[in-house]
Structures are given as structure tokens and as C-alpha cells.
Amino acid sequence: MSMRWYTLVVDCHDIAAQARWWAETLDYVIVYEDAEEVAIVPRTMETDPVDDVARFRALPPGLVFVPVGEEKTVKNRLHIDLAPHTAEDRDGEIAALLDRGATRVHVGQPDDVTWTVLADPEGNEFCVLSSRDR
């Protein structure tokens, strides 16, 4: 038995702004939005029901943004890793993220790592890995 990783839930203050920031970052689209949650999924994802279990399990996860009142106080215990393709400009992608409101953060990583730690506009850490083709 196995289950599909369906979504990752992100706690935040401005759920609409965070959802739109991540949708642009990942080339996702908003599929649901109200005052209590905003859900985004890959632009290419099927939205019709999937009868085949293997196809259902192969679908990529979405992100759901929900409101919280408290401030973020410590490093995330779970974070997203992003990776550009080898044909893409990794430094350019990082610069674009920084231009859109991401910030560089230090979470204890040594200076010689192959990834860059950033935080989204509300301070949630994520990494941009080295370029790869798989």
C-alpha cells in the first residue's frame, strides 16, 4: 500500500500573496482560493478525476497556503529544494527570485556547499540546488 503525496501546506500571513509568489516561482496555477486557503498546482497537471491508481500516484504535489496568526521564529523543519535544468542560468534564476522578494539566509550551511539557501517573502527557507538534468 502507498499513498500519493498530495500537497505541502505552508503557514503564512498573506496567503494570496504567498500563493502567487510561489505559483510564479514554480510555474504553477491557482486552482482554489478563499479566505482560509489558496491551492496551487503545476500548470500541466490534470484537474479531472483520475481513475487509474498508478497515474493518480504519479501526479505531482501541489502547495496549499493557510493563514496563521503567529510569527515564524525558528528555521523550518521542512523546506522545498528547487533545481534549475543544466540548460538554464542558475545564478540568473537566483537573481530573479531575489528581485521578486526572496532573501539570502544562513541556516548553518558551510561556505562551500553546492546550494543556495533563500527565504520567500514571509521568511520560509528553501534551497536552490546546483543545475541538473534529472
Side-chain angles (χ1 to χ4, degrees), residues 77-117:
R77 295 196 57 183
L78 178 69
H79 69 265
I80 297 171
D81 283 347
L82 305 178
H85 188 269
T86 54
E88 296 174 312
D89 176 9
R90 178 183 180 274
D91 292 338
E93 295 288 344
I94 291 171
L97 290 165
L98 293 169
D99 287 346
R100 291 184 34 250
T103 55
R104 292 182 186 269
V105 294
H106 192 276
V107 293
Q109 71 271 24
D111 292 336
D112 62 347
V113 296
T114 60
W115 63 88
T116 300
V117 183

Side-chain angles (χ1 to χ4, degrees), residues 24-96:
E24 183 177 343
T25 297
L26 300 171
D27 194 27
Y28 278 30
V29 294
I30 294 173
V31 292
Y32 180 82
E33 181 171 9
D34 69 15
E36 296 303 315
E37 74 177 82
V38 182
I40 65 173
V41 299
R43 181 175 303 282
T44 58
M45 189 164 150
E46 300 175 43
T47 55
D48 293 329
V50 177
D51 293 331
D52 181 71
V53 174
R55 271 190 47 229
F56 172 78
R57 289 189 182 136
L59 293 172
L63 293 172
V64 174
F65 299 85
V66 298
V68 295
E70 68 273 5
E71 296 295 323
K72 181 179 178 299
T73 58
V74 297
K75 176 182 168 285
N76 293 358
R77 295 196 57 183
L78 178 69
H79 69 265
I80 297 171
D81 283 347
L82 305 178
H85 188 269
T86 54
E88 296 174 312
D89 176 9
R90 178 183 180 274
D91 292 338
E93 295 288 344
I94 291 171

